[in-house]
Amino acid sequence: MINKIDELVMFPNESERTRIVSGLRWIGLLSAEKATLRGGNLLDTLCARLEQLMKYEAGERDLVMLQHKLWSNTRTAGW
């Protein structure tokens, strides 16, 4: 399957190819293991797989970072 990916995708460099193929392996898309269909569609099946892979272990916590960008147009009348 990796040969087919290499045939179809033009990666910008080898490190990007390695990163993408590694991610596909981690998700299990390159595995011979059969997937259990969830919700009757592939998106729900992928989400269920990601839930398994990304669940928090005991004592782990989440972190959310937000970035806000504000700008002003001082030329606009009425402001």
Side-chain angles (χ1 to χ4, degrees):
M1 185 174 289
I2 294 174
N3 291 336
K4 190 64 172 179
I5 292 170
D6 288 335
E7 180 183 318
L8 295 172
V9 179
M10 293 180 58
F11 295 104
N13 53 52
E14 184 60 28
S15 67
E16 185 70 2
R17 178 196 174 276
T18 301
R19 186 181 72 82
I20 297 298
V21 171
S22 174
L24 294 174
R25 279 192 178 109
W26 178 76
I27 292 172
L29 292 178
L30 302 179
S31 171
E33 182 182 333
K34 289 188 176 185
T36 303
L37 188 62
R38 301 280 175 92
N41 63 67
L42 295 177
L43 182 57
D44 286 343
T45 301
L46 177 60
C47 288
R49 175 67 178 151
L50 291 173
E51 286 174 2
Q52 291 173 346
L53 292 170
M54 299 175 72
K55 67 181 175 184
Y56 292 109
E57 299 295 328
E60 286 186 318
R61 295 172 44 165
D62 193 6
L63 172 68
V64 176
M65 295 179 66
L66 301 174
Q67 178 182 10
H68 299 278
K69 293 184 178 182
L70 305 172
W71 64 95
S72 172
N73 184 349
T74 57
R75 296 181 189 172
T76 304
W79 284 78

